[in-house]
Amino acid sequence: MGLSIGNRILRKIVKNEAMAEDPPEIYGWRVYLLACSACFGAMSFGWDSSVIGGVIELEPFKHDFGFIGNDKAKANLGANIVSTLQAGCFLGALIASPITDRFGRKWCLVAVSLVVIIGIIMQAAASGNLAPMYIGRFVAGVGVGAASCINPVFVSENAPRSIRGLLTGLYQLFIVTGGMIAFWINYSVSLHFKGKSMYIFPLAIQGLPAALLCVCMLLCHESPRWLARRDRWEECKSVLARIRNLPPDHPYIVDEFREIQDQLEQERRLQGDATYWDLTRDMWTVAGNRKRALISIFLMICQQMTGTNAINTYAPTIFKNLGITGTSTSLFSTGIYGIVKVVSCVIFLLFLADSLGRRRSLLWTSIAQGLAMFYIGLYVRISPPIDGQPVPPAGYVALVCIFLFAAFFQFGWGPACWIYASEIPAARLRSLNVSYAAATQWLFNFVVARAVPTMLVTVGAHGYGTYLIFGSFCLSMFVFVWFFVPETKGISLEHMDELFGVTDGPAAEKSSVQGGDDIGSEMGKGDQKSKHVEVYV
């Protein structure tokens, strides 16, 4: 049977053993549509964080919301407005795990989309009043944070193993796509709108991805692995067959269904009907589970300490600091920045995530991001832009470094962290692991969003120290990945336990992870270990 054009292209760009062995029917349109539907939750975050960074630079917004006083006071007010969303996201990510385990992935995504819409309506209706603006951003943040936990879990539990990186990485693609659209909306309103509508329209239109999430998820099926955990086996097999575009008695469906059954049976033999607190204890007392939780958490800390969301949120301010004059001009530059991020993310997902792999992508981009940040910081320190004078050649190189930084981030640290967090945990701990990872991401996102405006004013002339700090973090991340993060491309979800030394029983597990209390125990070899266990059953 001949392959479709889409399958032939996919097999040329995705290079792993699973892609060569698995039947081509599983790469049908259903699995892509399902992944894209769930990822509208990610678009809500990217859209919001990018919209607000431009909105707080608009003169009508500054006038209505009281941006008065010295630069530090205005920076603090802007930081408070921006970071309230991240505070809500932190709470949403923490409460998402028990809720989604109880009520399912599909209906929780529908519910959080409605929460986001309520928060956005409050923001758009604030009209110069800080209280509803703060409350609205916090409420929207609760929904966005919960979606950030549920979305990768839902996609990874539905994705074929050979393109799981690509599909889970769509989360990051939708974030940057939402951000790009928001950047261009900000630029458009700066040219064509007047008065309050300049900021009301971009604040209101950010509800679009949340509405699309609600509608699309109503058309999707529940995760087959969640259905299995609720002992709805017939539904599980039916949904699995429909997503894979194969009959229920096809050997591929039979094998995948058996893997789900075997893993769930093993978990229940070890844990029984575990409560949320039982699962939490299991995560932190079993060495193999603890390693996975700590890797996920540290990856998310590293992701935020690259400084990416500092640039995403405060891009107009940063471009002004580099010598770009005029609100419209800085917003236009921000729009180009958004396009670079989207194109780079697409390249990573198609050509790198399931071919080059996650680990190598993180390693080389750590160095590349750090060098870009160091150049920007040194330029601002040694030859800063002067008001009223054209940008010097060294300044244009600094601007190019901003765009290069965006590309490097999308080649590794943007998508790969979400891929790892959603694919490495045991099935019973997946939502909890992603919840911890997402909460960590939002916590450090909050720290960065709150601190950067003040840092740009206070950490050295023109804030040059801000870039050097982020550059130093980027370089240090290479060391963390080299010693502690294994490769996972092409490994099925049901075989992640083997990669992290968790086997059939407590005694065997204790033996395989003896001395494994340290996150890096037996993982310093990264690639070598992953090669040893990279099986495709």
Side-chain angles (χ1 to χ4, degrees):
M1 182 173 61
L3 296 177
S4 68
I5 294 176
N7 268 314
R8 287 200 295 269
I9 294 173
L10 194 62
R11 286 174 181 269
K12 286 185 179 295
I13 62 178
V14 176
K15 303 294 184 182
N16 61 49
E17 192 174 335
M19 172 59 72
E21 293 181 353
D22 294 344
E25 291 87 352
I26 68 175
Y27 308 113
W29 60 269
R30 287 191 182 95
V31 70
Y32 299 106
L33 184 61
L34 179 147
C36 290
S37 297
C39 286
F40 281 117
M43 184 176 283
S44 288
F45 164 59
W47 198 308
D48 181 278
S49 62
S50 301
V51 157
I52 198 65
V55 163
I56 62 175
E57 291 296 315
L58 298 173
E59 290 304 322
F61 186 89
K62 291 181 177 181
H63 177 269
D64 289 354
F65 285 87
F67 278 71
I68 58 176
N70 57 35
D71 288 344
K72 188 174 181 179
K74 289 186 282 189
N76 279 330
L77 178 57
N80 289 337
I81 292 173
V82 170
S83 61
T84 305
L85 179 102
Q86 282 82 354
C89 289
F90 177 73
L91 175 62
L94 287 178
I95 65 176
S97 176
I99 293 174
T100 191
D101 281 346
R102 174 68 180 85
F103 298 105
R105 316 324 189 194
K106 170 183 175 175
W107 291 108
C108 284
L109 283 172
V110 171
V112 300
S113 69
L114 299 177
V115 173
V116 173
I117 290 171
I118 292 170
I120 288 170
I121 291 172
M122 295 180 69
Q123 293 176 56
S127 190
N129 297 305
L130 281 172
M133 174 60 71
Y134 286 142
I135 295 172
R137 287 188 61 73
F138 184 84
V139 170
V142 171
V144 171
S148 73
C149 172
I150 304 167
N151 177 174
V153 172
F154 181 75
V155 175
S156 68
E157 289 183 344
N158 282 279
R161 59 182 177 172
S162 57
I163 57 169
R164 191 175 60 246
L166 186 156
L167 294 182
T168 308
L170 285 176
Y171 182 87
Q172 182 68 20
L173 177 61
F174 272 65
I175 288 178
V176 297
T177 301
M180 179 190 68
I181 295 171
F183 287 147
W184 287 107
I185 287 175
N186 285 343
Y187 175 65
S188 297
V189 299
S190 72
L191 296 178
H192 303 296
F193 285 64
K194 302 293 182 184
K196 292 179 182 292
S197 61
M198 284 183 71
Y199 66 84
I200 292 177
F201 178 78
L203 288 175
I205 197 66
Q206 64 181 323
L208 180 60
L212 290 172
L213 173 65
C214 181
V215 173
C216 291
M217 287 309 302
L218 290 173
L219 303 176
C220 291
H221 292 284
E222 184 54 84
S223 159
R225 286 170 170 83
W226 183 84
L227 291 170
R229 298 188 65 77
R230 309 303 292 183
D231 290 320
R232 293 158 63 176
W233 293 104
E234 289 302 319
E235 287 181 74
C236 170
K237 194 166 191 177
S238 174
V239 170
L240 196 61
R242 183 172 177 79
I243 295 171
R244 298 291 182 260
N245 198 31
L246 293 169
D249 58 352
H250 190 282
Y252 183 89
I253 298 296
V254 172
D255 287 345
E256 187 171 7
F257 186 70
R258 187 188 303 117
E259 283 186 349
I260 295 172
Q261 285 179 309
D262 290 346
Q263 187 187 46
L264 187 58
E265 180 183 349
Q266 175 188 327
E267 290 174 0
R268 286 176 172 172
R269 188 170 67 248
L270 295 175
Q271 290 292 325
D273 295 325
T275 66
Y276 175 80
W277 298 112
D278 292 331
L279 294 176
T280 302
R281 184 174 61 252
D282 186 35
M283 173 172 281
W284 296 111
T285 58
V286 177
N289 295 333
R290 183 169 60 249
K291 289 176 184 176
R292 288 180 270 190
L294 289 174
I295 286 174
S296 300
I297 287 171
F298 278 105
L299 283 175
M300 289 303 181
I301 294 173
C302 291
Q303 184 195 66
Q304 292 308 301
M305 297 314 294
T306 60
T308 181
N309 279 315
I311 298 178
N312 292 347
T313 305
Y314 301 108
T317 303
I318 289 172
F319 279 115
K320 285 182 179 179
N321 286 352
L322 295 179
I324 300 296
T325 58
T327 300
S328 294
T329 306
S330 66
L331 291 176
F332 178 81
S333 301
T334 303
I336 300 298
Y337 172 80
I339 292 175
V340 170
K341 292 179 64 178
V342 170
V343 173
S344 303
C345 191
V346 170
I347 292 172
F348 172 81
L349 295 179
L350 289 178
F351 299 103
L352 301 178
D354 290 304
S355 299
L356 178 64
R358 293 71 147 137
R359 184 173 186 268
R360 289 186 179 92
S361 297
L362 292 176
L363 286 171
W364 80 265
T365 55
S366 299
I367 302 299
Q369 290 173 151
L371 294 177
M373 278 290 190
F374 268 103
Y375 181 88
I376 297 168
L378 292 173
Y379 160 70
V380 173
R381 174 65 182 88
I382 297 170
S383 180
I386 300 173
D387 290 342
Q389 294 189 14
V391 179
Y396 282 111
V397 175
L399 292 172
V400 170
C401 283
I402 290 284
F403 297 125
L404 287 175
F405 174 86
F408 296 146
F409 182 79
Q410 301 309 322
F411 286 153
W413 284 93
C417 294
W418 289 108
I419 295 170
Y420 268 111
S422 60
E423 71 181 4
I424 63 176
R428 70 187 183 281
L429 299 175
R430 186 166 294 118
S431 67
L432 186 62
N433 188 88
V434 176
S435 176
Y436 281 131
T440 303
Q441 192 261 2
W442 292 119
L443 176 61
F444 280 82
N445 194 325
F446 170 82
V447 170
V448 170
R450 184 64 189 83
V452 163
T454 304
M455 291 171 67
L456 291 173
V457 174
T458 60
V459 184
H462 302 278
Y464 78 90
T466 306
Y467 307 103
L468 298 184
I469 290 170
F470 287 132
S472 298
F473 274 110
C474 288
L475 296 179
S476 68
M477 293 167 196
F478 178 92
V479 179
F480 168 67
V481 175
W482 181 266
F483 286 104
F484 302 133
V485 180
E487 184 57 76
T488 59
K489 70 172 182 178
I491 302 176
S492 71
L493 295 181
E494 283 68 36
H495 285 85
M496 290 296 171
D497 282 352
E498 185 178 354
L499 176 61
F500 288 90
V502 180
T503 51
D504 288 341
E509 181 188 9
K510 192 176 295 184
S511 174
S512 69
V513 297
Q514 188 174 14
D517 284 352
D518 183 357
I519 182 176
S521 176
E522 298 186 8
M523 296 179 61
K525 304 253 183 192
D527 277 342
Q528 292 149 333
K529 181 168 183 177
S530 66
K531 286 176 184 174
H532 178 67
V533 299
E534 194 163 292
V535 291
Y536 305 92
V537 179

